[in-house]
Amino acid sequence: MHRLNLLISRGLLFVAGVALLAMVCLVTVNIVMRQVASSFGGTTEIVGWLTAVVVSLSLAYAQLHKAHVELDILVARFPRRLQALLQALVALASLLFFTMVAIKLWEYGYSAMQRGMVSQTLRLVLHPMIYLVALGFSAFCLVLLADCLGALKRLVVTQRVVMT
């Protein structure tokens, strides 16, 4: 499961990097155009959507490599069994919450596609961007599932060590 998570998260991270590069280029060209002539309309709209794509597609990779802030000053002093239990509970709560987020995003994307929703300024079709964000959260949920299973495994192993 780790290999699958790594493959998916790296692929999505690559797409996020391309989106970030596109965002940088768009903002840079827009700034230059303001000095020379008139700037593009809708730059803020495109940058906003690309930001959502960059963040959501990067979540799985960040979670996989534990590149987030974790405050464990207090938890590190707890017994190993309690630490494992807390890690399992936090992973499960995170998995449940972000699974609901991912499901709602898929539903919203489908609804946007059915209604033919377009953006306000440029009149771009919205559902592809919504689906990309939903894909990012779904991949994040896959990594959280692996974390949850790993925490439960540590809890069972820790419990067996304590009993023997």
Side-chain angles (χ1 to χ4, degrees):
M1 186 168 208
H2 180 73
R3 236 181 217 160
L4 176 66
N5 278 337
L6 188 60
L7 182 67
I8 291 170
S9 65
R10 279 185 181 167
L12 293 178
L13 187 67
F14 176 79
V15 175
V18 170
L20 183 62
L21 184 61
M23 200 168 38
V24 168
C25 290
L26 179 64
V27 169
T28 303
V29 168
N30 193 35
I31 290 170
V32 170
M33 289 298 293
R34 262 192 230 158
Q35 303 303 318
V36 177
S38 64
S39 62
F40 306 131
T43 300
T44 305
E45 186 175 284
I46 293 173
V47 168
W49 281 107
L50 287 175
T51 300
V53 167
V54 167
V55 170
S56 65
L57 295 183
S58 303
L59 286 173
Y61 188 83
Q63 180 66 27
L64 191 64
H65 292 283
K66 306 297 182 238
H68 54 278
V69 176
E70 185 175 342
L71 300 174
D72 63 347
I73 295 170
L74 180 63
V75 176
R77 299 185 197 293
F78 292 164
R80 291 200 187 273
R81 188 168 176 211
L82 183 57
Q83 286 180 23
L85 176 65
L86 288 174
Q87 288 171 349
L89 289 174
V90 168
L92 181 62
S94 298
L95 176 62
L96 291 174
F97 176 76
F98 285 109
T99 298
M100 288 188 294
V101 170
I103 289 169
K104 289 300 177 184
L105 280 166
W106 286 110
E107 289 174 359
Y108 182 58
Y110 182 73
S111 173
M113 184 175 66
Q114 291 296 315
R115 291 186 280 155
M117 283 178 55
V118 293
S119 63
Q120 290 182 351
T121 307
L122 296 176
R123 314 295 293 165
L124 296 174
V125 179
L126 290 180
H127 69 272
M129 291 296 179
I130 297 169
Y131 281 146
L132 271 175
V133 172
L135 180 65
F137 275 95
S138 298
F140 182 47
C141 289
L142 190 62
V143 175
L144 286 172
L145 175 63
D147 287 351
C148 187
L149 294 174
L152 288 173
K153 183 179 176 182
R154 281 190 303 278
L155 179 62
V156 170
V157 169
T158 304
Q159 190 172 10
R160 284 186 188 158
V161 169
V162 170
M163 288 181 168
T164 56

